[in-house]
Amino acid sequence: MDIAELRDRILKQDRRALARAITLVESGRADHRAQAADLLEALRGAGRQALRIGLSGTPGVGKSTFIESFGIFLTAQGKRVAVLAVDPSSARSGGSILGDKTRMERLSRDKNAFIRPSPSQTHLGGVARRTREAVALCEAAGFDVVLIETVGVGQSETVVAEMSDLFLLLLAPAGGDELQGVKRGIMEMADLILVNKADGDLKSTAMRTCADYLGALRLLRKRPQDPEGFPKAMTVSALEEQGLTDAWAQMCELTDWRRANGHWEGRRESQAQFWFHEEVKQGVLAQLQTGDAKAQIAELAAQVAAQEITPSAAADKVLNALDIRTK
């Protein structure tokens, strides 16, 4: 693969080249990883930045419908939108349905939109390990907004927050105690809470749900990266495309304030450090998947089960063999 040619085609906004590059960075083959690293390094100086928006929500909340409506709203304003949708993988077979393009049929036909579903495999938070690199490729390809959809709500959503400029939490109105259904940690990460399905018979319920979350947000500790009044809770209807203009206006207001007050670049710098540490961790874990290491681990595991050696001593043997000694 000619990395220089691929780089030039991506910078010229060639969609096929972008799709090919994302396939390259998602590959686990050693030669592909080397090529992916070369490509990302070649694109590093392009200087293009997109607004990265992470989106999470419980299953059935209407994430795909919202993304499609919101994406069409943005492309109508002349913006180029990339959607990186992470599909859950089967723990048994490792396969994924990758149905997001099917569920976003209108947006997938938009010439200013690019949709790429990726399998989560076994990665934390429903975010593929290489999603961050795919975001960088989309930025280099000149997209204005990159939407990162995750599998659902959970403690591991910290991962998507570490690759996003804004983090949206999408919720649905319900008849029970909605506040008990979402972990505090998720609310503390959210920049904007959007109560979807605020239409028809559910509109009044959505308004009450929104009021509940507004009250809960006021109890949270104020974050230094937020201006007065943020984070906020709002109602939207992806089905009727209502509330999207107001939601986008709030996103722009928050983004502009963070840029003007130095939080934008600072956040991206800390995210880069986070992913450096993650790559080191993943590199160490990969060494444990080699043939010799797996054989040694299996042998020591049998000895631990037979109580011939303590778990700590067995672990030290593995780490010493990898030359990773505990202090």
Side-chain angles (χ1 to χ4, degrees):
M1 183 179 296
D2 189 334
I3 297 300
E5 179 187 354
L6 191 58
R7 171 191 178 276
D8 292 342
R9 288 174 57 193
I10 290 173
L11 292 176
K12 292 176 182 176
Q13 303 181 356
D14 186 322
R15 297 162 65 93
R16 289 190 177 185
L18 174 60
R20 187 180 183 188
I22 293 177
T23 299
L24 179 66
V25 300
E26 288 179 346
S27 174
R29 279 177 41 176
D31 56 335
H32 288 175
R33 288 306 310 150
Q35 289 179 322
D38 290 343
L39 176 61
L40 291 165
E41 186 64 25
L43 290 168
R44 183 170 55 86
R48 295 176 178 175
Q49 283 192 341
L51 176 60
R52 307 171 181 174
I53 301 176
L55 180 74
S56 185
T58 51
V61 76
K63 292 192 294 294
S64 295
T65 305
F66 173 80
I67 289 174
E68 181 171 58
S69 296
F70 187 50
I72 291 172
F73 166 79
L74 292 175
T75 58
Q77 298 185 18
K79 297 191 179 297
R80 302 182 71 236
V81 179
V83 179
L84 301 176
V86 183
D87 272 25
S89 297
S90 166
R92 180 174 297 178
S93 66
S96 297
I97 296 175
L98 302 178
D100 288 274
K101 267 198 169 181
T102 303
R103 290 181 290 169
M104 303 180 197
E105 186 179 356
R106 285 191 302 152
L107 187 61
S108 66
R109 295 197 302 265
D110 195 316
K111 61 182 178 62
N112 286 323
F114 174 84
I115 303 175
R116 174 70 181 221
S118 299
S120 66
Q121 299 173 3
T122 58
H123 303 308
L124 194 64
V127 179
R129 181 182 169 191
R130 300 302 171 187
T131 301
R132 176 187 58 87
E133 296 175 346
V135 170
L137 293 173
C138 291
E139 286 188 313
F143 285 93
D144 302 301
V145 179
V146 180
L147 296 169
I148 309 159
E149 179 196 0
T150 65
V151 171
V153 172
Q155 291 177 324
S156 51
E157 297 302 301
T158 305
V159 178
V160 74
E162 288 294 344
M163 65 176 74
S164 305
D165 301 311
L166 298 177
F167 183 74
L168 309 184
L169 178 60
L170 200 63
L171 300 174
D177 190 350
E178 293 90 352
L179 280 174
Q180 295 300 322
V182 176
K183 293 181 175 64
R184 178 185 174 118
I186 300 295
M187 290 185 61
E188 289 176 332
M189 285 188 292
D191 296 307
L192 205 60
I193 294 176
L194 301 177
V195 181
N196 193 23
K197 303 185 180 181
D199 49 59
D201 295 338
L202 288 175
K203 188 167 185 176
S204 59
T205 307
M207 298 296 289
R208 289 195 301 270
T209 302
C210 183
D212 288 342
Y213 280 100
L214 280 170
L217 288 172
R218 283 194 282 268
L219 300 176
L220 299 180
R221 184 179 304 168
K222 182 170 174 57
R223 306 178 304 185
Q225 71 268 31
D226 291 333
E228 193 63 35
F230 283 89
K232 294 183 177 181
M234 306 175 62
T235 58
V236 296
S237 170
L239 187 64
E240 296 183 354
E241 300 182 0
Q242 299 294 319
L244 301 180
T245 301
D246 291 341
W248 175 241
Q250 295 299 326
M251 294 179 215
C252 292
E253 179 184 337
L254 180 56
T255 300
D256 292 343
W257 187 89
R258 286 180 175 173
R259 285 183 184 274
N261 289 273
H263 294 288
W264 176 279
E265 289 300 330
R267 178 64 177 155
R268 289 211 167 188
E269 289 170 3
S270 66
Q271 287 177 348
Q273 291 182 344
F274 172 87
W275 288 106
F276 161 69
H277 290 296
E278 283 299 305
E279 286 298 318
V280 173
K281 292 177 187 176
Q282 294 296 331
V284 172
L285 290 174
Q287 293 186 46
L288 298 177
Q289 300 302 313
T290 61
D292 291 343
K294 290 174 72 174
Q296 183 187 24
I297 290 172
E299 181 182 347
L300 287 168
Q303 294 178 21
V304 169
Q307 298 186 0
E308 296 173 1
I309 187 173
T310 66
S312 298
D316 284 342
K317 285 180 177 289
V318 175
L319 296 176
N320 286 331
L322 294 175
D323 200 24
I324 304 173
R325 296 178 177 83
T326 56
K327 298 295 184 182

